[in-house]
Amino acid sequence: MMRRMDVPDEKQQTARRIAAFRGATRVLARGPHTATMGEHWARLTDAAGTVADLSGTVDLYGDGVVADLEERVAGLLGKEAAAFFPTGTMAQQVALRCWAGRTGNSTVALHPLAHPEVHEREALSTVSGLRAVHPTTAARQFTADEVHGMDEPFGTLMVELPLRDAGFVLPTWEELQEVCEEARARDAVVHFDGARLWECTTHFGRPLDEIADLADSVYVSFYKSLGGLSGAALAGPRSFIDEARAWRHRYGGQVFHQFPQAIAALVGLERELPRLPEYVAHARVVARALREGFAEAGLAWARVHPEEPHTHAFRVLLPYDTDVLTEAAVSQAEETKTALFGRWWPVSGAPGLSVTEVTVAAPGLEWSADDVRAAVADFVRRLP
């Protein structure tokens, strides 16, 4: 049997894609894979002294700079206390498990596209012994009426803000208030999956602490919007956070040293958090220019979702196979040093339709609407 030698395997394709985006001089945002380990380390060491006293001792099991970070987060979110976790998955599992014990109900109401349902390998049930129910299956935030209409009790309502796998979508402020009020009318507590809560203030027109005040507990990530190394925080009432620390230990999250992650998180809070509203505003410029560019290029069907992004990230859908679109994106980055899109994925249940995520951060602020339209024209020319 002859072997085909001209078809690269998945590792080769991934390496080529990363090399192309790393070499691009014009990007809308730079992901963590586009910098080398040395570059990440250099940026962290350059900034560390601006957020922490480097002459102090390192943290031991969560004191020192880790405790400083926890206090900072609790203040930003207007909560009594916060606890640092090595991963958001652990933070969420602990939060939901603690609320199940306190409410006496192990059923969690959440969206089927929420992170625990899609990206955590059934940890909600397998590790924590909890059961999920869904107010809706529609690819949008659920409503207060849908929460009201659920036909069985639940102890916790979890709201993901924004709902990433539906297109980084948010409810209106009034809708979010109504959802939380309805949950409490059903004797349930409210937990926010706020991995990207940092970037929601523009859409809601409210500060972080006012948004977080609607929930009994909030989880936030330090790398998704803030550019940190890893890690998350869980914030809420002090007694709840004390209990969460105990479960963090049981789950294996009592880490000996975490000062690099804590310092990177503090740098993100200092440098990236104040800029997120600017990124959100420019994401709307980019999204509009993408729609215009696709129309000018004559694509019969192209979608930017939401049409006006709720955060600084959104989705683009095109009627082409995934491999075709990814090849166009990689070749554009290689040949023009402009990376408009990253990797594409197939849309489940829709053969021939693919989706990608677009994030606009500091590098994207340099793009004008004309720049975006020109990049779209070049990208479309690469399609069959």
Side-chain angles (χ1 to χ4, degrees), residues 157-242:
L157 178 74
M158 195 198 93
V159 186
E160 184 176 316
L161 300 173
L163 186 57
R164 182 255 181 103
D165 283 322
F168 303 92
V169 295
L170 291 163
T172 66
W173 176 248
E174 292 73 20
E175 288 168 342
L176 182 59
Q177 288 179 308
E178 291 168 0
V179 161
C180 295
E181 289 169 1
E182 187 57 48
R184 293 198 172 89
R186 297 196 53 156
D187 298 321
V189 296
V190 177
H191 170 73
F192 283 171
D193 174 343
R196 297 172 174 84
L197 188 72
W198 311 114
E199 64 211 51
C200 295
T201 56
T202 298
H203 176 83
F204 288 134
R206 301 291 193 283
L208 284 167
D209 58 350
E210 189 172 347
I211 299 170
D213 188 54
L214 295 180
D216 297 280
S217 61
V218 181
Y219 140 67
V220 289
S221 172
F222 294 124
Y223 71 90
K224 288 185 171 69
S225 304
L226 302 180
L229 294 178
S230 62
L234 180 63
R238 190 170 301 280
S239 64
F240 174 81
I241 296 302
D242 288 343

Side-chain angles (χ1 to χ4, degrees), residues 47-265:
T50 66
V51 297
D53 179 6
L54 301 185
S55 65
T57 58
V58 297
D59 62 289
L60 295 175
Y61 295 118
D63 64 3
V65 69
V66 176
D68 294 341
L69 172 62
E70 292 172 339
E71 184 177 356
R72 176 81 181 275
V73 170
L76 285 169
L77 299 178
K79 298 298 185 184
E80 289 182 351
F84 183 85
F85 280 78
T87 71
T89 296
M90 185 186 294
Q92 297 247 94
Q93 298 302 321
V94 166
L96 298 174
R97 183 167 193 154
C98 288
W99 284 127
R102 288 172 172 235
T103 63
N105 189 325
S106 61
T107 300
V108 180
L110 74 172
H111 200 285
L113 292 178
H115 197 277
E117 293 290 78
V118 179
H119 300 289
E120 297 181 13
R121 300 188 67 167
E122 294 81 42
L124 193 72
S125 58
T126 305
V127 178
S128 302
L130 306 179
R131 187 171 69 91
V133 293
H134 305 141
T136 184
T137 58
R140 54 162 173 75
Q141 293 280 355
F142 46 71
T143 67
D145 285 344
E146 288 165 337
V147 173
H148 175 79
M150 295 183 69
D151 58 6
E152 58 182 307
F154 52 89
T156 306
L157 178 74
M158 195 198 93
V159 186
E160 184 176 316
L161 300 173
L163 186 57
R164 182 255 181 103
D165 283 322
F168 303 92
V169 295
L170 291 163
T172 66
W173 176 248
E174 292 73 20
E175 288 168 342
L176 182 59
Q177 288 179 308
E178 291 168 0
V179 161
C180 295
E181 289 169 1
E182 187 57 48
R184 293 198 172 89
R186 297 196 53 156
D187 298 321
V189 296
V190 177
H191 170 73
F192 283 171
D193 174 343
R196 297 172 174 84
L197 188 72
W198 311 114
E199 64 211 51
C200 295
T201 56
T202 298
H203 176 83
F204 288 134
R206 301 291 193 283
L208 284 167
D209 58 350
E210 189 172 347
I211 299 170
D213 188 54
L214 295 180
D216 297 280
S217 61
V218 181
Y219 140 67
V220 289
S221 172
F222 294 124
Y223 71 90
K224 288 185 171 69
S225 304
L226 302 180
L229 294 178
S230 62
L234 180 63
R238 190 170 301 280
S239 64
F240 174 81
I241 296 302
D242 288 343
E243 181 184 358
R245 292 180 193 276
W247 279 107
R248 180 184 65 185
H249 195 172
R250 296 184 182 109
Y251 272 66
Q254 190 80 343
V255 180
F256 187 51
H257 290 320
Q258 297 178 103
F259 66 92
Q261 290 88 343
I263 288 174

Side-chain angles (χ1 to χ4, degrees), residues 22-45:
R22 181 176 292 165
T25 56
R26 301 202 67 195
V27 297
L28 290 169
R30 288 206 175 275
H33 60 282
T34 60
T36 65
M37 185 160 49
E39 290 167 339
H40 277 294
W41 188 254
R43 282 201 294 268
L44 181 59
T45 54

